[in-house]
Amino acid sequence: MEKEKGKKMIVKKLRARNNWSQEQLAQITGLSLRTIQRVEAGNKASIETLKSLASVFEVDISKLTEVVILIDKESQQWKSEPWWIKFSLLGIKKRSYMIKIEYLMIAIGCISLTLFDGMEMTAIVAFFGAYTNAKLLAYVDNRRLW
């Protein structure tokens, strides 16, 4: 489902960037309006559909098939979140960034424990950071902010 959600956002954003309606995009691509609606709703698209969209938007087809899950910081749901959630995610838009941060914190913790004597506190802080990052990620996932 996440992959389809990512495609939905990419196609819709590309269409909006060009100031095209769904009807206009359907006409330009030679696809049916219903196909455009299905793709934007997150349903699976055939390779031919993706090729047509990629050609019209002048992007590589991989751009349309990559998983990009973003927080829409303009949405009403985001605006109603507590300040500390907004502060914690300051500068973070993609879910993949959160996962990279978590892995980095775990790596720092492991390296601190294995390579350096007297760095136990650094490891504890790094592991705690990874844990809190995971909890924040779970919160954002459960609230469907991506």
Side-chain angles (χ1 to χ4, degrees):
M1 180 179 155
E2 288 179 358
K3 193 172 212 173
E4 283 75 28
K5 184 178 179 182
K7 274 191 262 185
K8 166 185 161 182
M9 293 188 74
I10 291 170
V11 172
K12 191 171 186 176
K13 285 186 180 210
L14 289 170
R15 180 176 60 78
R17 189 177 299 155
N18 287 290
N19 294 317
W20 293 335
S21 66
Q22 288 180 331
E23 293 83 5
Q24 289 171 315
L25 181 58
Q27 186 176 17
I28 294 166
T29 58
L31 300 169
S32 71
L33 173 60
R34 186 66 189 127
T35 298
I36 300 299
Q37 291 169 338
R38 284 185 184 133
V39 170
E40 286 194 5
N43 295 316
K44 291 186 179 188
S46 70
I47 192 71
E48 291 79 18
T49 297
L50 293 174
K51 284 180 183 178
S52 295
L53 290 167
S55 174
V56 167
F57 291 129
E58 297 178 349
V59 297
D60 190 80
I61 195 167
S62 64
K63 176 79 172 166
L64 298 177
T65 57
E66 70 184 7
V67 177
V68 178
I69 303 174
L70 304 172
I71 294 177
D72 181 5
K73 293 188 176 179
E74 301 302 316
S75 73
Q76 194 59 38
Q77 184 179 5
W78 172 255
K79 291 177 181 177
S80 68
E81 288 298 320
W83 71 267
W84 59 272
I85 292 291
K86 294 176 190 174
F87 181 77
S88 298
L89 295 169
L90 197 63
I92 306 269
K93 290 185 179 181
K94 293 184 180 181
R95 186 178 190 275
S96 61
Y97 294 167
M98 295 286 291
I99 294 170
K100 288 176 185 175
I101 291 169
E102 189 173 332
Y103 289 151
L104 179 63
M105 298 299 276
I106 292 170
I108 290 170
C110 290
I111 290 168
S112 297
L113 283 178
T114 57
L115 297 181
F116 303 106
D117 287 334
M119 296 290 286
E120 291 81 14
M121 187 53 79
T122 301
I124 290 169
V125 169
F127 289 137
F128 180 74
Y131 172 79
T132 55
N133 187 75
K135 286 300 210 179
L136 180 60
L137 181 60
Y139 175 85
V140 174
D141 284 348
N142 288 335
R143 300 277 296 162
R144 300 177 195 262
L145 294 173
W146 302 112

